[in-house]
Amino acid sequence: MSGFASSKDLAEKTISFEELGPGLYGFTAEGDPNSGVVIGDRSVLVVDAQATPRLAEEVLAHIRKVTDKPVKHVVLSHYHAVRVLGASAYKDAELIASDVTRDLIVERGQQDMDSEIGRFPRLFRGKESISGLTWPDLVFHKRMTLWMGKREVQIIHIGRSHTAGDTVVWLPKEKVLFAGDTIEFGATPYCGDAHFTDWPSTLKAIGALGAERLVPGRGRSLIGQKEVNEAIEGTSAFTSDLFAIAKAGVAKGATLKQVYDEAMGTMKPKYGQWVIFEHCMPFDVSRAYDEAKGLDHPRIWTAERDVEMWRSLEHGTAMKSAEIQS
Protein backbone atom coordinates (compact mmCIF):
# COMPACT_ATOMS: atom_id res chain seq x y z
CA MET A 1 0.00 0.00 0.00
CA SER A 2 1.36 3.39 -1.00
CA GLY A 3 -0.05 5.25 2.00
CA PHE A 4 -2.12 7.68 -0.10
CA ALA A 5 -4.74 9.50 1.92
CA SER A 6 -7.29 8.12 -0.54
CA SER A 7 -6.34 4.52 0.31
CA LYS A 8 -7.90 5.06 3.76
CA ASP A 9 -11.15 6.40 2.23
CA LEU A 10 -13.28 3.27 2.41
CA ALA A 11 -16.65 4.57 3.61
CA GLU A 12 -19.59 4.21 1.25
CA LYS A 13 -21.09 7.45 -0.06
CA THR A 14 -24.76 8.36 -0.32
CA ILE A 15 -25.90 8.69 -3.93
CA SER A 16 -28.18 11.53 -5.05
CA PHE A 17 -30.04 11.52 -8.36
CA GLU A 18 -31.43 15.00 -8.72
CA GLU A 19 -33.64 16.28 -11.51
CA LEU A 20 -32.26 19.54 -12.90
CA GLY A 21 -35.04 19.99 -15.43
CA PRO A 22 -37.38 17.72 -17.39
CA GLY A 23 -35.31 14.66 -18.32
CA LEU A 24 -32.02 16.07 -16.96
CA TYR A 25 -30.33 14.53 -13.93
CA GLY A 26 -27.19 14.81 -11.86
CA PHE A 27 -25.80 11.58 -10.35
CA THR A 28 -23.66 12.67 -7.39
CA ALA A 29 -22.19 10.91 -4.38
CA GLU A 30 -20.77 13.16 -1.65
CA GLY A 31 -17.63 14.16 -3.52
CA ASP A 32 -17.10 11.00 -5.55
CA PRO A 33 -16.95 11.42 -9.36
CA ASN A 34 -20.28 12.55 -10.80
CA SER A 35 -22.21 11.55 -13.91
CA GLY A 36 -24.91 13.39 -15.83
CA VAL A 37 -27.99 12.07 -17.60
CA VAL A 38 -29.82 13.62 -20.56
CA ILE A 39 -33.05 11.98 -21.73
CA GLY A 40 -34.00 12.77 -25.31
CA ASP A 41 -37.04 11.88 -27.37
CA ARG A 42 -35.86 8.35 -28.15
CA SER A 43 -32.65 7.75 -26.23
CA VAL A 44 -30.41 8.68 -23.28
CA LEU A 45 -27.00 10.35 -23.12
CA VAL A 46 -24.71 9.84 -20.12
CA VAL A 47 -21.91 12.24 -19.19
CA ASP A 48 -18.91 10.36 -17.76
CA ALA A 49 -18.91 6.60 -17.43
CA GLN A 50 -17.63 6.07 -13.83
CA ALA A 51 -14.52 4.09 -12.88
CA THR A 52 -15.73 0.53 -13.40
CA PRO A 53 -18.64 -1.24 -15.10
CA ARG A 54 -19.92 -2.17 -11.64
CA LEU A 55 -20.18 1.50 -10.67
CA ALA A 56 -21.69 2.37 -14.04
CA GLU A 57 -24.42 -0.16 -13.31
CA GLU A 58 -25.44 2.03 -10.35
CA VAL A 59 -25.96 4.94 -12.73
CA LEU A 60 -27.93 2.69 -15.07
CA ALA A 61 -30.12 1.51 -12.20
CA HIS A 62 -31.08 5.09 -11.43
CA ILE A 63 -31.74 5.81 -15.10
CA ARG A 64 -34.10 2.83 -15.24
CA LYS A 65 -36.16 4.36 -12.44
CA VAL A 66 -37.08 7.29 -14.70
CA THR A 67 -36.99 5.93 -18.27
CA ASP A 68 -36.74 2.73 -20.28
CA LYS A 69 -35.18 4.49 -23.28
CA PRO A 70 -31.81 3.03 -24.37
CA VAL A 71 -28.50 4.72 -23.54
CA LYS A 72 -27.16 5.55 -27.00
CA HIS A 73 -24.37 8.02 -26.20
CA VAL A 74 -21.73 8.43 -23.47
CA VAL A 75 -19.63 11.61 -23.41
CA LEU A 76 -16.17 11.37 -21.84
CA SER A 77 -15.37 14.75 -20.28
CA HIS A 78 -11.66 13.81 -20.22
CA TYR A 79 -9.34 10.80 -20.18
CA HIS A 80 -8.92 10.03 -16.45
CA ALA A 81 -9.59 6.42 -15.46
CA VAL A 82 -12.22 7.27 -12.83
CA ARG A 83 -14.30 8.86 -15.60
CA VAL A 84 -13.98 6.39 -18.46
CA LEU A 85 -13.24 2.78 -17.46
CA GLY A 86 -16.87 1.93 -16.69
CA ALA A 87 -17.94 2.59 -20.27
CA SER A 88 -18.25 -1.08 -21.26
CA ALA A 89 -21.41 -1.27 -19.09
CA TYR A 90 -23.14 0.84 -21.76
CA LYS A 91 -23.06 -1.95 -24.30
CA ASP A 92 -24.81 -0.28 -27.24
CA ALA A 93 -23.68 3.29 -26.66
CA GLU A 94 -21.48 5.40 -28.90
CA LEU A 95 -18.60 6.91 -26.90
CA ILE A 96 -17.82 10.57 -27.65
CA ALA A 97 -14.65 12.51 -26.74
CA SER A 98 -12.62 15.49 -27.90
CA ASP A 99 -9.72 14.80 -30.24
CA VAL A 100 -7.31 15.98 -27.54
CA THR A 101 -8.78 13.52 -25.04
CA ARG A 102 -8.22 10.65 -27.46
CA ASP A 103 -4.62 11.77 -28.02
CA LEU A 104 -4.07 11.69 -24.25
CA ILE A 105 -5.49 8.16 -24.01
CA VAL A 106 -2.98 7.12 -26.68
CA GLU A 107 -0.12 8.84 -24.88
CA ARG A 108 -0.82 7.98 -21.25
CA GLY A 109 -4.05 6.05 -20.84
CA GLN A 110 -2.48 2.83 -19.59
CA GLN A 111 -0.16 4.57 -17.12
CA ASP A 112 -3.04 6.67 -15.83
CA MET A 113 -5.20 3.56 -15.38
CA ASP A 114 -2.50 1.80 -13.35
CA SER A 115 -1.83 4.95 -11.32
CA GLU A 116 -5.44 5.74 -10.43
CA ILE A 117 -6.38 2.18 -9.50
CA GLY A 118 -3.48 2.24 -7.02
CA ARG A 119 -4.58 5.55 -5.50
CA PHE A 120 -8.33 4.92 -5.15
CA PRO A 121 -9.19 1.35 -4.13
CA ARG A 122 -12.78 2.22 -3.17
CA LEU A 123 -13.52 4.01 -6.43
CA PHE A 124 -12.40 0.98 -8.43
CA ARG A 125 -14.71 -1.54 -6.82
CA GLY A 126 -15.29 -4.26 -9.37
CA LYS A 127 -12.07 -3.44 -11.23
CA GLU A 128 -11.88 -7.06 -12.39
CA SER A 129 -14.76 -6.22 -14.75
CA ILE A 130 -12.74 -3.53 -16.58
CA SER A 131 -12.08 -4.79 -20.09
CA GLY A 132 -9.14 -2.47 -20.77
CA LEU A 133 -8.72 1.10 -21.92
CA THR A 134 -11.81 2.98 -23.09
CA TRP A 135 -11.60 4.25 -26.67
CA PRO A 136 -14.04 6.81 -28.11
CA ASP A 137 -16.05 5.87 -31.18
CA LEU A 138 -16.68 9.45 -32.26
CA VAL A 139 -14.00 12.13 -31.89
CA PHE A 140 -14.76 15.81 -32.44
CA HIS A 141 -12.69 18.96 -32.80
CA LYS A 142 -13.68 21.93 -30.62
CA ARG A 143 -17.45 21.38 -30.57
CA MET A 144 -20.30 19.28 -31.89
CA THR A 145 -24.07 19.40 -31.58
CA LEU A 146 -26.19 16.32 -30.97
CA TRP A 147 -29.93 16.54 -31.56
CA MET A 148 -31.79 14.05 -29.36
CA GLY A 149 -35.07 14.55 -31.16
CA LYS A 150 -36.06 18.12 -30.29
CA ARG A 151 -33.43 18.41 -27.54
CA GLU A 152 -30.23 20.24 -28.48
CA VAL A 153 -27.06 19.04 -26.75
CA GLN A 154 -23.83 20.97 -27.34
CA ILE A 155 -20.62 19.06 -26.59
CA ILE A 156 -17.78 21.55 -26.22
CA HIS A 157 -14.02 21.17 -25.80
CA ILE A 158 -14.11 24.21 -23.56
CA GLY A 159 -10.37 24.71 -23.00
CA ARG A 160 -7.41 23.47 -21.01
CA SER A 161 -7.89 23.36 -17.23
CA HIS A 162 -8.14 20.06 -15.31
CA THR A 163 -6.65 18.40 -18.41
CA ALA A 164 -5.89 19.49 -21.96
CA GLY A 165 -8.99 17.77 -23.34
CA ASP A 166 -11.68 19.04 -20.97
CA THR A 167 -15.17 18.78 -22.42
CA VAL A 168 -18.49 20.11 -21.11
CA VAL A 169 -22.04 19.21 -22.13
CA TRP A 170 -24.31 22.23 -22.48
CA LEU A 171 -28.05 22.40 -23.00
CA PRO A 172 -28.61 25.98 -24.16
CA LYS A 173 -32.42 25.97 -24.01
CA GLU A 174 -32.57 24.51 -20.50
CA LYS A 175 -29.40 26.38 -19.35
CA VAL A 176 -28.03 23.20 -17.75
CA LEU A 177 -24.29 22.43 -17.82
CA PHE A 178 -22.45 19.21 -17.07
CA ALA A 179 -18.99 20.62 -16.35
CA GLY A 180 -16.76 17.61 -15.73
CA ASP A 181 -13.74 18.44 -13.59
CA THR A 182 -13.35 21.95 -14.96
CA ILE A 183 -15.38 22.90 -11.86
CA GLU A 184 -15.66 21.31 -8.41
CA PHE A 185 -17.89 22.21 -5.47
CA GLY A 186 -16.83 21.43 -1.92
CA ALA A 187 -14.22 19.11 -3.38
CA THR A 188 -10.54 19.73 -4.00
CA PRO A 189 -9.63 20.14 -7.66
CA TYR A 190 -7.22 17.43 -8.78
CA CYS A 191 -4.51 19.30 -10.69
CA GLY A 192 -1.95 16.59 -11.38
CA ASP A 193 -2.46 16.95 -15.14
CA ALA A 194 -3.68 20.53 -15.13
CA HIS A 195 -2.92 23.67 -17.09
CA PHE A 196 -2.97 26.41 -14.46
CA THR A 197 -2.16 29.23 -16.86
CA ASP A 198 -5.20 28.45 -19.02
CA TRP A 199 -7.68 27.50 -16.28
CA PRO A 200 -8.92 31.09 -15.62
CA SER A 201 -9.82 31.66 -19.28
CA THR A 202 -11.59 28.28 -19.39
CA LEU A 203 -13.65 29.24 -16.35
CA LYS A 204 -14.45 32.57 -18.01
CA ALA A 205 -15.73 30.70 -21.09
CA ILE A 206 -17.89 28.52 -18.84
CA GLY A 207 -19.25 31.56 -17.04
CA ALA A 208 -20.15 33.16 -20.38
CA LEU A 209 -22.50 30.26 -21.17
CA GLY A 210 -24.84 31.50 -18.44
CA ALA A 211 -25.68 28.15 -16.83
CA GLU A 212 -28.45 28.27 -14.25
CA ARG A 213 -27.97 24.66 -13.13
CA LEU A 214 -24.67 22.82 -13.11
CA VAL A 215 -23.27 19.40 -12.28
CA PRO A 216 -19.59 19.73 -11.29
CA GLY A 217 -17.04 16.94 -11.53
CA ARG A 218 -17.32 16.37 -7.78
CA GLY A 219 -19.81 17.81 -5.33
CA ARG A 220 -23.57 18.18 -5.35
CA SER A 221 -25.67 19.49 -8.21
CA LEU A 222 -25.92 23.28 -8.19
CA ILE A 223 -29.23 25.10 -8.55
CA GLY A 224 -29.42 28.78 -9.47
CA GLN A 225 -26.97 31.37 -10.74
CA LYS A 226 -25.69 32.12 -7.24
CA GLU A 227 -24.56 28.54 -6.59
CA VAL A 228 -23.12 28.21 -10.09
CA ASN A 229 -21.07 31.36 -9.60
CA GLU A 230 -19.94 30.16 -6.18
CA ALA A 231 -18.60 26.95 -7.70
CA ILE A 232 -16.78 28.79 -10.49
CA GLU A 233 -15.29 31.27 -8.03
CA GLY A 234 -14.23 28.54 -5.60
CA THR A 235 -12.45 26.55 -8.28
CA SER A 236 -10.81 29.71 -9.57
CA ALA A 237 -9.64 30.75 -6.11
CA PHE A 238 -8.10 27.35 -5.29
CA THR A 239 -6.22 26.97 -8.55
CA SER A 240 -5.07 30.60 -8.63
CA ASP A 241 -3.91 30.53 -5.01
CA LEU A 242 -1.91 27.35 -5.56
CA PHE A 243 -0.27 28.50 -8.78
CA ALA A 244 0.69 31.83 -7.22
CA ILE A 245 2.46 29.96 -4.39
CA ALA A 246 4.26 27.74 -6.90
CA LYS A 247 5.39 30.67 -9.06
CA ALA A 248 6.66 32.58 -6.05
CA GLY A 249 8.54 29.52 -4.82
CA VAL A 250 10.17 28.84 -8.17
CA ALA A 251 11.15 32.50 -8.51
CA LYS A 252 13.16 32.31 -5.29
CA GLY A 253 14.67 28.89 -6.02
CA ALA A 254 12.59 26.87 -3.54
CA THR A 255 12.53 23.08 -3.72
CA LEU A 256 9.38 21.12 -4.45
CA LYS A 257 9.17 20.11 -0.78
CA GLN A 258 9.47 23.74 0.34
CA VAL A 259 6.70 24.80 -2.04
CA TYR A 260 4.54 21.91 -0.83
CA ASP A 261 5.01 22.89 2.82
CA GLU A 262 4.18 26.52 2.02
CA ALA A 263 1.09 25.51 0.06
CA MET A 264 -0.19 23.20 2.79
CA GLY A 265 0.35 25.81 5.48
CA THR A 266 -1.34 28.56 3.49
CA MET A 267 -4.19 26.64 1.88
CA LYS A 268 -5.28 24.11 4.48
CA PRO A 269 -7.08 26.67 6.68
CA LYS A 270 -9.16 27.79 3.67
CA TYR A 271 -9.63 24.57 1.71
CA GLY A 272 -8.71 21.73 4.04
CA GLN A 273 -12.35 20.76 4.67
CA TRP A 274 -12.90 20.03 0.97
CA VAL A 275 -13.16 16.37 -0.07
CA ILE A 276 -9.82 14.65 -0.98
CA PHE A 277 -7.73 17.70 0.01
CA GLU A 278 -5.00 15.61 1.66
CA HIS A 279 -4.85 13.26 -1.29
CA CYS A 280 -4.79 15.88 -4.04
CA MET A 281 -2.28 18.36 -2.67
CA PRO A 282 0.94 16.41 -3.36
CA PHE A 283 -0.13 15.87 -6.99
CA ASP A 284 -1.46 19.43 -7.32
CA VAL A 285 1.70 21.04 -5.99
CA SER A 286 3.92 18.82 -8.13
CA ARG A 287 2.15 19.90 -11.31
CA ALA A 288 1.98 23.58 -10.26
CA TYR A 289 5.72 23.49 -9.55
CA ASP A 290 6.44 21.95 -12.97
CA GLU A 291 4.30 24.50 -14.81
CA ALA A 292 5.84 27.37 -12.86
CA LYS A 293 9.23 26.11 -14.08
CA GLY A 294 7.99 26.26 -17.67
CA LEU A 295 6.85 22.67 -18.31
CA ASP A 296 3.67 23.17 -20.35
CA HIS A 297 2.92 19.50 -21.09
CA PRO A 298 2.23 17.60 -17.83
CA ARG A 299 4.52 14.69 -17.11
CA ILE A 300 2.87 11.27 -17.07
CA TRP A 301 1.94 9.87 -13.68
CA THR A 302 3.00 6.27 -13.25
CA ALA A 303 2.31 4.08 -10.23
CA GLU A 304 6.00 4.27 -9.32
CA ARG A 305 6.15 8.05 -9.64
CA ASP A 306 3.00 8.35 -7.50
CA VAL A 307 4.50 6.43 -4.60
CA GLU A 308 7.88 8.17 -4.70
CA MET A 309 6.33 11.62 -4.86
CA TRP A 310 3.93 10.85 -2.03
CA ARG A 311 6.66 9.53 0.24
CA SER A 312 9.00 12.41 -0.46
CA LEU A 313 6.44 15.12 0.24
CA GLU A 314 4.38 13.53 3.01
CA HIS A 315 7.14 11.75 4.88
CA GLY A 316 10.33 13.56 3.88
CA THR A 317 12.03 10.45 2.47
CA ALA A 318 14.53 10.67 -0.34
CA MET A 319 13.28 10.23 -3.89
CA LYS A 320 14.72 7.36 -5.87
CA SER A 321 13.99 8.81 -9.28
CA ALA A 322 15.79 11.79 -10.72
CA GLU A 323 12.69 12.40 -12.81
CA ILE A 324 10.70 13.32 -9.71
CA GLN A 325 13.24 15.99 -8.79
CA SER A 326 13.22 17.67 -12.19
Side-chain angles (χ1 to χ4, degrees), residues 120-314:
F120 290 106
R122 183 178 58 78
L123 292 183
F124 286 90
R125 299 188 303 281
K127 65 179 182 291
E128 64 281 353
S129 63
I130 296 170
S131 56
L133 292 179
T134 295
W135 294 99
D137 302 301
L138 191 158
V139 171
F140 69 94
H141 181 66
K142 295 298 184 185
R143 80 165 52 215
M144 64 173 283
T145 299
L146 180 68
W147 286 94
M148 300 177 68
K150 295 176 181 156
R151 172 157 272 171
E152 180 183 3
V153 182
Q154 295 183 6
I155 305 169
I156 307 167
H157 177 200
I158 196 72
R160 302 197 307 181
S161 49
H162 174 73
T163 73
D166 287 333
T167 296
V168 301
V169 174
W170 169 234
L171 287 94
K173 180 180 177 182
E174 297 86 350
K175 296 191 179 300
V176 172
L177 183 70
F178 300 93
D181 283 315
T182 61
I183 295 173
E184 314 292 13
F185 186 74
T188 308
Y190 172 74
C191 309
D193 304 294
H195 293 270
F196 287 94
T197 302
D198 292 1
W199 209 322
S201 60
T202 299
L203 291 174
K204 186 175 180 180
I206 289 172
L209 293 173
E212 295 177 0
R213 302 195 173 197
L214 184 149
V215 178
R218 293 175 184 261
R220 65 175 175 81
S221 297
L222 306 170
I223 308 298
Q225 194 71 59
K226 181 179 178 182
E227 288 193 349
V228 170
N229 289 341
E230 185 182 346
I232 293 173
E233 290 163 7
T235 303
S236 177
F238 178 93
T239 53
S240 298
D241 287 355
L242 176 55
F243 196 40
I245 291 167
K247 288 190 290 185
V250 167
K252 63 185 181 185
T255 66
L256 175 60
K257 179 70 165 71
Q258 288 169 331
V259 171
Y260 174 75
D261 290 344
E262 171 70 18
M264 287 296 286
T266 302
M267 298 181 70
K268 192 168 185 177
K270 186 175 180 181
Y271 306 107
Q273 78 281 6
W274 285 3
V275 173
I276 64 172
F277 177 83
E278 298 287 347
H279 168 74
C280 285
M281 282 299 285
F283 299 94
D284 291 3
V285 174
S286 294
R287 173 56 194 153
Y289 187 76
D290 276 356
E291 188 170 335
K293 291 174 68 177
L295 190 64
D296 179 70
H297 193 62
R299 288 186 288 134
I300 297 172
W301 289 101
T302 64
E304 180 184 27
R305 182 186 171 205
D306 287 357
V307 172
E308 292 182 357
M309 178 276 301
W310 183 270
R311 287 175 177 163
S312 68
L313 295 185
E314 284 290 326

Side-chain angles (χ1 to χ4, degrees), residues 42-105:
R42 296 178 299 277
S43 65
V44 178
L45 176 146
V46 172
V47 184
D48 282 329
Q50 296 287 315
T52 68
R54 175 178 160 188
L55 293 172
E57 290 289 349
E58 296 182 10
V59 180
L60 274 167
H62 281 78
I63 292 171
R64 289 295 159 249
K65 294 175 183 178
V66 295
T67 183
D68 59 1
K69 295 173 184 176
V71 177
K72 288 294 187 181
H73 300 93
V74 176
V75 176
L76 310 178
S77 67
H78 59 286
Y79 76 92
H80 283 151
V82 292
R83 300 292 176 181
V84 305
L85 293 182
S88 62
Y90 300 99
K91 299 186 182 351
D92 299 317
E94 184 173 56
L95 307 182
I96 301 171
S98 69
D99 48 5
V100 176
T101 289
R102 189 185 190 282
D103 290 345
L104 289 167
I105 295 171

